[in-house]
Amino acid sequence: MGRYALKLAFELAVVFVGVYAAFAVESFQREREAEVRRQQLQGALLREIEGITQNTRRAALGTARLLAAYDSAWAVGGKPPLQPMIEPIRFQTHMWEATLASGALDLLEVPTVYRLSEFYNELNAGFEQLAQLRQLSESMLLPQMGNPEALYDPATGRLRPQYRWYVGGLENLRAKAEQITVLGDSLLADLDAPGDDALDLP
């Protein structure tokens, strides 16, 4: 009976070791697959953010030049026309939207998710500012195209109160574009760092 018990214990041990080894191999394979998916997701988001920041950098520079030209003309007594912002501008965020819809954010570390969410939330806020400027441009500036003097108070030479949103709106847009660009550049540097996807929370 003792021999039988010993044999049974040995066979059970072999079965246990085999099951444990199979489980360990399966677990390793799952972790490896998750790591490959994480790297692919991170790379795709990196490329999307790189494209977005190229656009926001151009937007910040273009808006700054527009404001500088307006200030220069006004400083010498001119009444520069206000350029309507009527072109619909929206950078595509397909990869981010697909990541949210698929639940793939679980593949990334929490600090990384936080930074990504901050970036895309600021981008959406920038789109909202653009939409507001477009609406105001269509309703208030387009009717005055070709008659810039109607925008200015003849007594003071300043913009009439109903048009003063223009300069402030452009300044806010420039600041938002710069902020998004800085966030994007920081994300690109961190996401592109080999072996480091756990970004530090601010």
Side-chain angles (χ1 to χ4, degrees), residues 63-82 152 158-159 166-168 170-171 174:
T63 308
R65 284 195 293 266
L66 190 59
L67 285 166
Y70 174 86
D71 288 341
S72 297
W74 188 82
V76 295
K79 295 180 179 178
L82 307 186
Y152 294 87
R158 296 180 178 275
L159 283 172
Y166 179 81
V167 175
L170 285 183
E171 180 58 39
R174 181 202 59 76

Side-chain angles (χ1 to χ4, degrees), residues 70-139:
Y70 174 86
D71 288 341
S72 297
W74 188 82
V76 295
K79 295 180 179 178
L82 307 186
Q83 300 296 327
M85 303 190 67
I86 56 176
E87 181 181 355
I89 300 174
R90 190 171 185 88
F91 312 140
Q92 298 302 320
T93 58
H94 296 311
M95 194 61 226
W96 174 246
E97 292 167 7
T99 300
L100 292 177
S102 66
L105 279 181
D106 291 342
L107 294 170
L108 302 175
E109 299 290 336
V110 171
T112 304
V113 174
Y114 177 91
R115 294 274 298 281
L116 286 167
S117 298
E118 181 184 29
F119 173 80
Y120 283 98
N121 286 339
E122 290 300 325
L123 182 63
N124 286 331
F127 289 149
E128 290 177 4
Q129 285 189 7
L130 278 170
Q132 290 173 357
L133 287 174
R134 184 169 185 263
Q135 183 179 12
L136 288 168
S137 293
E138 290 176 344
S139 62

